[in-house]
Structure formats: structure tokens, C-alpha cells
Amino acid sequence: MNPVSFFPENIKKALGKPAPGAWMPTIPPACIRLSSGYPEPSLIPVGPLQQATEQLLVEEKDLPLHYIGSPRTERLYTFIQERMAQRGMTASRHELLITAGASQALDLIARILLDEEALVVMEAPTYMEAIEIFRNYTDQLLSVPIDGEGLQTEVLEALLQKRSREGKPLPQLLYLIPTFQNPTGTSMSTKRRHHVLQLALTYNFLILEDDAYGELAFGARPTSLKAMDTENRVLYVGSLSKVIAPGLRIGWMAGDAAFIKAAAWFKKDLEHPYSQALIMTLLENVSYEAHLKKLQNRYEQKCRVLQTALQEAFGEQASWYVPGGGYFLWLHVPGIDAQAKLADALKAGVSYIPGEHFFLRQEEGKEYVRLSFSMEDEAAIVTGVQRLKSVLLD
Amino acid sequence: MNPVSFFPENIKKALGKPAPGAWMPTIPPACIRLSSGYPEPSLIPVGPLQQATEQLLVEEKDLPLHYIGSPRTERLYTFIQERMAQRGMTASRHELLITAGASQALDLIARILLDEEALVVMEAPTYMEAIEIFRNYTDQLLSVPIDGEGLQTEVLEALLQKRSREGKPLPQLLYLIPTFQNPTGTSMSTKRRHHVLQLALTYNFLILEDDAYGELAFGARPTSLKAMDTENRVLYVGSLSKVIAPGLRIGWMAGDAAFIKAAAWFKKDLEHPYSQALIMTLLENVSYEAHLKKLQNRYEQKCRVLQTALQEAFGEQASWYVPGGGYFLWLHVPGIDAQAKLADALKAGVSYIPGEHFFLRQEEGKEYVRLSFSMEDEAAIVTGVQRLKSVLLD
């Protein structure tokens, strides 16, 4: 039997591409992990989850353990609606869908909107996994560079003008992480947010706003595209992974009811009733605002420590955008080949993600490194940077 | 903005079909639920899950709450491999993939094997949700009738012969629930199992063996197709939903490494690290065999009570296959229109699933009703049957 003979063409094509994450060597246990976009272990509410479990199972017994049944699933919808409202976003019950993490939301949106002809525009650089998800549906991907003020909307506009002049297909979808972006930590300016919303109307495309890091603001939080969107052009994706715990896989999408209905159709019961009930119980017991403040302070402090260490170690030999929130710092070291240096870095005891994996055209990322300040503590971050210097400036 | 204009053709087509489950009226709370394929509440190990949570979070702290990290995920793979081995099935680590319930496994298998031209053959009747899942990928669905000995493989063979004679496309996939089938409760005879495996070789198709109920044997358990398959033609799908708790969404697929690799590609991190670690902790603390025995005895007893009640209520006016295990009994009441009677049944205080929803050609199911004996206790089952009689024989 030849297994490949059973695959449709698009699957053969997908499997012909390098496997997701195959480039990443195993990280030695002793390694300081500046690669991992994981929350700080001490910030995961283990104790409260313990108590929430006890309360949930005493109060509801077997209910949350069936396919459906826990009243807390609906309460979680309400909680998300209220939290969005506090940030100026409105979503009716029919405009909201809880998903198994933000990544299920991205996959569902790609599934309902993209066929092999569909054109998707992304930021350069952008979230690695999003590139992989979209590539599962279409090869028509274009990127537009970002800078310290996020997506360069003038470049996008020029691209759209050129394509429509030349009668080329226009994008179906623009994928953005406008706030505390992964990997750069930058946010789109208000001016550019207005501009991109206007472009969506003029050129008739949808915007997928990935707001996975939006809650983790060190200072002022930019207004989300969803909150500024008067025409229902924005499909908003949120997540509790970075705020509570990734392992519970709770995210959501909000947008036009027609898209939510379609996404729900394909999601069916691929969701997590128990996780939903458990996280809702937790949210009833803790002050979300207080928990968030704690996260924001911790990550802001560690981000500051990372930048001081980088300044001391690299001086003029490296540069980066000052993150306004989130988990990541985007380090530019002119002249390096970050991927080529990775093996040495792991030997030296520090891990990072080479910049090339965040680009459609990998060569654009050669001199860049994504550093995460979320998981490791201050001491480890400082040591990690010293090891990083010894390797990257070697 | 016209949302529909953003959908590719196949999505428009899917959304043109009646929404999954739209036919089912809301079930009044007081209703005796002979419709629900849910475990009996008292059989869900709520206390042990409580203890398992405490142990897991004390032992591993935040580990199981990240995207990856808990060593128990790998132990769960080992547990599943050992359990399969006890039932004569071998699956190496590369031939096994844990999924978010059996339904994610079905969706992934459909995704990697089916395009719009692919032909799928199913049992008539078969699992409703499987029909919906496959219809999301192809309209080329055919069904072959089953009887008390499962799929009528002679009918299948005749169909295959005819199609190859006429030069028509042959099936890519045969979807079977060979053991304690949903909805009929019947199992394929050994002779037919051998026959269908031979047909898969002769006509070069794959078999998707859905074994969601295979553990719940009242007496002898038939050998799975996977255990009899020497040519790696069988993609096996298992689940802990019916054995531990559906809400934890733990299932798996086992088969040729090439298919597992492809499924893993599209699954990415759409899985539940916390659920996996939690259920593994539970499995370390309880005797799986003892728990299973308890389930088997309970469901066998309730199945007997249901049949006695049906015998008394319907006498010669109804018939059914005697279930060898599982959750369901398939009631045939000549002359009725089960869907038309549903509203009255709900008014009378009993729910069921009209047979037509288990068929590609719904009219075939008009006189049938799927009764579940899994959720309600004996007294409720008896009362439910009396109400059922008053409605169906009215």
C-alpha cells in the first residue's frame, strides 16, 4: 500500500513543505529559554485553579464533564462580552464563539474564508504559526513590512493600488497583530489603524485582528481595531492563554454573525466544556483586573531588565523596538545569521527563535532574533543575554 | 458588506445545508432523556478527578498548564498503546495521535483523505455527526445497509463490483462502527470482518474503524478490525469519552505512520495538554479494568431493563436488535413516522432521536427510533418507555 496515493493534491503539497518547527533543535534542559512564548510559571494561578476545581465539581458534579451542560459555559460568553465591552468592543451572543485557544480561531477563520485562490496579506515579520495555518489553505500569501508604528499602511495601500491597476486579485484577508505584536512587540499607531480600516472598505477585504497579547499592556493600551470598526470588517481573536494558562486552551473569535455561524458549523464539538467551566469558576473567584495588573507589572519589569542587559552587552551593536507590552523583544544584530548561530547558542546555554521563521521570505529575518522575557526570571534573563552576546558577537 | 461574498464555494455549499441538529427541538428539563448518548452521571468519576487534580497540580505545578510540558502526556500515549495491545492491536508511537475526542480524529482523517471528488461509503444507519463531518468535505457519500451482524459485506462487494465494471470511481474510505454500533448496538460478525478487510485490499480503500463504544461489552467483545488488519488498511479511532468523561475530550487515532503524520500536521496545537495530564493522573490512581467492569455491568443491566419494558409495552408491535454492548437500542415500530411524533413525545415527557437522522436517505429511517439507555436510571427508563408507547402507538 502506498499511503501517499490516498492523499488529495493539496495535502500532498502541504506535506511536501518542511514540517512545522522542524528547524528547532531540542533545547537542552539547562538552557535559559529566551525562545519560549510561555507565561512565567509563578504567574499561572495553580492554587486558584485547584480551588476552582473543587468548587466546580462540588457545585456541578458531573455537569461540566459531559459534552454540554455546565451553565458556566454561557457565563464565560458573558464574561468575554463584558471584558470586550470594557475595551470598547461590542459583540452580541451571535457574534461570539469560544474556541480551543486562539489557534483554533485562526484555523476556523482560514477554513471558512480561504480556498487555494484566496490572497492573504500578513505583516513582515508575523506570528510563525499563523503562516503555517494559512499555508494549509492557500499559497497566495503576501507580506507588508512593519516598523515601530506597526504595519506600514502606506506600503499596503501602494500594493493594493498597484494590484488593482494591474487587474490582479485583491486580498480576501489581512492578518494583523496590531497590539504588542509577535514577534516585534510594537503596536500600530492610531493613524495607521484608521488608515487600514479605511483601506479594508476601499478594497473590500476583511481584517483578522489577533489580539492574543492585547491585555498585557505596560502602559497605555491602544484601542483595538475591532473597537474602531464601524463596518464589521474586523474578525477579532482573543485568548486567555497569556493571561490565565495556555494549557486550558480558551480563546474566542468575535465578528459578523455570518462568519461566527460558519465557524461554529465547522467547530462542532471540538471545544472544551470542562476547561470552559473550570476557567469560568476561576474568574468568579479572582479579581481579573488585579491578576492582570500583577501580570503587567511583572512582564514590564522583566522587559526592562532584558533591555538594560542588552544595552550593556551589545551597546551600539544591536537595536530593538521598545515593547509597549506582551512577551517579546525583537533584536536586530547587523551582520549575523541568527539561524546559523542557534546551535552554538544552545551549546552556550541560551535559546531564541531565529528571525527568519517569522517571514514569508526567510532571508529578511537573517539578522533578527526573537527574545521572550515572559518565562525566565530576571537573573536568568541577565545571564541569558551574556551568553547570547558571547555567541552572536563572536 | 455582504458576508456571503467572502465565502469560497464549498463553504457556501455547506452553509446551504440544514444546520447540524437544527431538527431537534429544545428538550424540556422534566423530560426523560432517552435521546442523550451521555454517560450515566453517577459513573463519571467526579471524586477521583478531584483527587487527580490535586495530585497533578501538587506534583507538576504549572507544567500541565503550558502548551506542552507534562510528562503525563507521553504516559497517556503509553497507556493507550498498552490498552490497545491488550486488545490485540499494535501501534508504535509514530502510529498514534491523541486528539480532542474521537470527533477531532474523524475530522482530521476526513481532512487529510477527502477532497470534493472523494467517495466515502458508510453504514446505513450510522453516526449522525460522522455524516455531517464527511459532508463538510465531499458530497460523494454512499451507504450500505447493516443488519444484526453489522455491515452487509455482500451488498458492499456487489456495489464495488458494479462500480468497477461501470468504470465508476471506487471509494477512498469506508467508515464503520463495527462494534456496538451507533445507533443500532449491533456488531459485525467475524466472517464479515474478514470479508471487509479482504475487500479493502481488492478494491484499494481505507477503513475508518470508529471504536468509541468498543470497551463497553456486555459479554464477549468482538476482535477489532484493527487487530485483524495485517495490511495497515485500518485507521482506528478510540475515545475515553464513554469510559471516563466526554467533557475532557480525549480520543485518539492509530494507523499507518504516514496518515498519523499528516493528521498531526493539521492538528498542530489544537489539543488539550491539561486534560491529557489530568486524565492520565486519574488512570494512574484507579483500576481501569475495575472501572470498566462497573460500567459494563451498569449499562448491561439498564439495557436489560429497557428491553423488558419495551417487550411489555410494545409486544409484537416493535422489534430491535439485542445490543451486545454500548449505549444504544434501535427500535423499529412499523408504520410510524418517528420525526413527526417527536413533538408529542417531548410533550409526554420522553425524548429520543428519530431514526431518519442516521441515514443518508432520511426516508429509510422513518419507522426507527434510537433509544439510549446510558444516561437515565432504571425507573426513568421504565417510565420513559410507557410514555413512548402512549405516543408511538397512539
Side-chain angles (χ1 to χ4, degrees), chain B residues 202-357:
Chain B
T202 311
Y203 293 95
N204 190 35
F205 56 84
L206 298 170
I207 298 173
L208 199 178
E209 178 177 33
D210 182 344
D211 196 37
Y213 302 91
E215 292 284 60
L216 301 174
F218 300 158
R221 182 194 292 107
T223 306
S224 71
L225 289 167
K226 176 71 178 162
M228 298 165 65
D229 172 27
T230 54
E231 308 296 325
N232 238 358
R233 288 265 159 187
V234 175
L235 288 163
Y236 177 90
V237 171
S239 171
L240 291 174
S241 292
K242 306 295 185 275
V243 179
I244 306 292
L248 295 175
R249 314 304 298 122
I250 300 294
W252 68 91
M253 59 182 280
D256 184 287
F259 300 131
I260 296 301
K261 186 178 164 222
W265 181 293
F266 291 99
K267 177 162 125 331
K268 297 170 68 67
D269 59 1
L270 300 182
E271 64 186 347
H272 286 263
Y274 181 69
S275 281
Q276 291 165 12
L278 181 57
I279 212 163
M280 188 59 226
T281 314
L282 176 87
L283 291 167
E284 291 163 8
N285 297 345
V286 302
S287 158
Y288 182 79
E289 290 292 353
H291 175 70
L292 208 52
K293 197 89 214 93
K294 190 168 131 206
L295 263 57
Q296 290 160 342
N297 294 338
R298 252 331 260 144
Y299 291 130
E300 181 182 14
Q301 185 190 339
K302 295 204 290 180
C303 182
R304 216 183 297 111
V305 168
L306 174 60
Q307 293 184 78
T308 310
L310 287 170
Q311 189 54 53
E312 285 168 9
F314 289 85
E316 298 306 299
Q317 295 173 277
S319 64
W320 60 87
Y321 302 117
V322 175
Y327 273 11
F328 307 116
L329 182 143
W330 185 239
L331 186 70
H332 182 210
V333 186
I336 68 163
D337 180 341
Q339 178 66 45
K341 294 259 186 191
L342 181 58
D344 293 345
L346 295 178
K347 271 198 221 76
V350 63
S351 68
Y352 59 78
I353 309 279
E356 62 183 62
H357 304 291

Side-chain angles (χ1 to χ4, degrees), chain A residues 6-8 14 38 50 54 65 67-68 103 111-112 132 136-137 172 242 246-247 249 265 268-269 272, chain B residues 6-8 14 38 50 54 65 67-68 103 111-112 132 136-137 172 242 246-247 265 268-269 271-272:
Chain A
F6 288 94
F7 292 129
Y38 283 19
Q50 178 67 265
E54 192 163 342
L65 293 159
Y67 295 98
I68 50 171
S103 46
R111 183 165 179 179
I112 63 171
E132 291 168 6
N136 286 339
Y137 295 90
Q172 177 89 334
K242 307 293 185 275
R249 314 303 300 120
W265 181 293
K268 298 168 68 62
D269 59 358
H272 287 259
Chain B
F6 288 95
F7 293 129
Y38 283 22
Q50 176 67 267
E54 191 164 343
L65 294 159
Y67 295 98
I68 50 171
S103 47
R111 184 165 179 178
I112 63 171
E132 291 169 5
N136 286 339
Y137 295 89
Q172 177 90 333
K242 306 295 185 275
W265 181 293
K268 297 170 68 67
D269 59 1
E271 64 186 347
H272 286 263

Side-chain angles (χ1 to χ4, degrees), chain B residues 134-191:
Chain B
F134 293 132
R135 279 202 172 130
N136 286 339
Y137 295 89
T138 178
D139 289 327
Q140 308 301 311
L141 303 176
L142 291 175
S143 63
V144 169
I146 71 173
D147 58 25
E149 293 189 3
L151 185 81
Q152 297 182 29
T153 51
E154 312 70 18
V155 179
L156 173 63
E157 182 164 30
L159 173 90
L160 295 166
Q161 283 168 342
K162 186 164 180 296
R163 289 186 72 91
S164 57
R165 247 199 338 269
E166 297 170 349
K168 288 193 180 145
L170 291 170
Q172 177 90 333
L173 191 66
L174 172 64
Y175 173 71
L176 294 177
I177 312 166
T179 306
F180 317 137
Q181 201 239 11
N182 178 7
T184 63
T186 61
S187 296
M188 277 179 87
S189 64
T190 307
K191 184 161 159 297

Side-chain angles (χ1 to χ4, degrees), chain A residues 101-122:
Chain A
S103 46
Q104 186 183 41
L106 297 186
D107 188 67
L108 285 168
I109 290 169
R111 183 165 179 179
I112 63 171
L113 293 177
L114 307 181
D115 57 16
E116 291 197 325
E117 281 70 49
L119 176 64
V120 178
V121 176
M122 316 175 79

Side-chain angles (χ1 to χ4, degrees), chain A residues 144-341:
Chain A
V144 168
I146 71 174
D147 59 25
E149 292 188 4
L151 184 81
Q152 298 181 28
T153 52
E154 312 70 19
V155 178
L156 173 63
E157 183 165 31
L159 172 89
L160 295 166
Q161 283 167 343
K162 186 165 181 297
R163 290 185 72 89
S164 57
R165 247 201 335 270
E166 298 170 350
K168 287 193 181 147
L170 291 170
Q172 177 89 334
L173 191 66
L174 171 65
Y175 173 72
L176 293 177
I177 311 165
T179 305
F180 316 138
Q181 201 239 12
N182 177 7
T184 62
T186 62
S187 297
M188 277 180 86
S189 64
T190 307
K191 184 159 158 297
R192 288 185 179 179
R193 288 174 191 250
H194 283 295
H195 190 200
V196 81
L197 286 166
Q198 172 249 308
L199 291 174
L201 287 183
T202 312
Y203 292 94
N204 190 35
F205 58 83
L206 298 170
I207 298 173
L208 199 178
E209 177 176 32
D210 182 344
D211 195 37
Y213 302 91
E215 293 284 60
L216 301 174
F218 300 158
R221 181 193 293 107
T223 306
S224 71
L225 290 167
K226 176 71 178 163
M228 299 164 64
D229 172 28
T230 54
E231 309 295 326
N232 238 358
R233 287 268 160 182
V234 175
L235 288 163
Y236 177 90
V237 171
S239 171
L240 291 175
S241 291
K242 307 293 185 275
V243 178
I244 306 291
L248 296 174
R249 314 303 300 120
I250 300 294
W252 69 91
M253 59 182 280
D256 184 286
F259 300 130
I260 296 301
K261 187 177 164 224
W265 181 293
F266 291 99
K267 178 162 125 333
K268 298 168 68 62
D269 59 358
L270 301 181
E271 64 187 348
H272 287 259
Y274 182 69
S275 280
Q276 291 165 13
L278 182 56
I279 212 163
M280 188 60 226
T281 314
L282 176 86
L283 292 166
E284 291 163 7
N285 298 345
V286 302
S287 158
Y288 182 78
E289 289 293 352
H291 176 69
L292 208 51
K293 196 89 216 95
K294 191 169 130 205
L295 263 57
Q296 290 161 340
N297 293 338
R298 263 314 273 145
Y299 291 131
E300 180 182 14
Q301 184 191 340
K302 295 204 292 180
C303 181
R304 214 181 302 112
V305 168
L306 173 60
Q307 293 183 78
T308 310
L310 287 171
Q311 188 54 53
E312 286 168 9
F314 289 85
E316 297 307 298
Q317 296 173 275
S319 64
W320 60 87
Y321 302 117
V322 176
Y327 273 12
F328 306 116
L329 182 141
W330 185 238
L331 186 70
H332 181 210
V333 186
I336 68 162
D337 180 340
Q339 178 66 46
K341 295 255 187 195

